[in-house]
Amino acid sequence: MFMSVDFAISKTTRLVGATLLLAALLASLWWWSIRIERAEKGTPAFTPNSQAPQLPGDKRVAAWTQQLQMHLVKQPDDVASWRLLAQAHATRGDMAQSAAAWQRALALTPQHADSHAGLAQALAARQQGRLRGEPAKWIESGLKVAADHPALLA
């Protein structure tokens, strides 16, 4: 009897983790597309190099990621670019680099709930969607910042 309850909890936890990861990736892609659209209009501090050749999908994201990294060498306190870099790494599937960028963004703005959610999602993805340990810690700290944040409640 207990084995089936543990299995059901484990299966539910995996399902919730996978759902969170999928939601995070979809949100990242949506946010990335909005950010690119704004960048093309010149809104943020960082804009992709307009002289760069048009590249297909993955190579284009890789080129923007490299440009963001060069920008951050010059302006290491640009928190919006750290968040953008974190999402770019997540889009490329590099969750270790995504987590590192989220941690840098959190060091600059510790009261930013989206950064807590992003870091938790990156760490959970590195643990095959499991929320125990570090991801749970960042979800909990993010809920202290914004108790009604949808990505932290999901």
Side-chain angles (χ1 to χ4, degrees), residues 30-146:
W30 172 79
W31 190 86
W32 180 250
S33 68
I34 297 296
R35 187 73 174 179
I36 291 169
E37 182 180 319
R38 288 183 181 167
E40 290 170 352
K41 294 178 183 176
T43 303
F46 168 79
T47 56
N49 184 354
S50 60
Q51 303 300 321
Q54 294 298 313
L55 302 169
D58 289 342
K59 290 183 181 181
R60 192 173 194 184
V61 173
W64 286 337
T65 301
Q66 186 177 20
Q67 287 179 14
L68 267 170
Q69 290 169 332
M70 292 183 330
H71 167 77
L72 286 165
V73 167
K74 296 174 189 172
Q75 295 184 16
D77 293 337
D78 184 354
V79 70
S81 291
W82 282 110
R83 292 180 191 133
L84 183 58
L85 181 62
Q87 294 203 351
H89 283 306
T91 299
R92 295 180 64 212
D94 189 347
M95 298 317 240
Q97 290 296 317
S98 178
W102 280 121
Q103 287 172 331
R104 186 65 187 261
L106 274 167
L108 295 169
T109 55
Q111 297 300 312
H112 192 266
D114 287 338
S115 296
H116 286 265
L119 179 55
Q121 290 166 350
L123 293 170
R126 291 184 67 199
Q127 299 178 171
Q128 292 76 40
R130 290 190 306 268
L131 298 174
R132 290 187 180 139
E134 285 292 306
K137 173 187 141 189
W138 288 106
I139 291 170
E140 187 176 316
S141 66
L143 288 171
K144 290 177 184 173
V145 172

Side-chain angles (χ1 to χ4, degrees), residues 1-12:
M1 178 77 170
F2 290 109
M3 294 274 290
S4 63
V5 171
D6 289 340
F7 177 74
I9 292 171
S10 177
K11 187 176 181 180
T12 302

Side-chain angles (χ1 to χ4, degrees), residues 6-29:
D6 289 340
F7 177 74
I9 292 171
S10 177
K11 187 176 181 180
T12 302
T13 303
R14 284 190 216 136
L15 182 60
V16 168
T19 303
L20 282 174
L21 179 60
L22 179 61
L25 291 175
L26 290 175
S28 294
L29 290 173

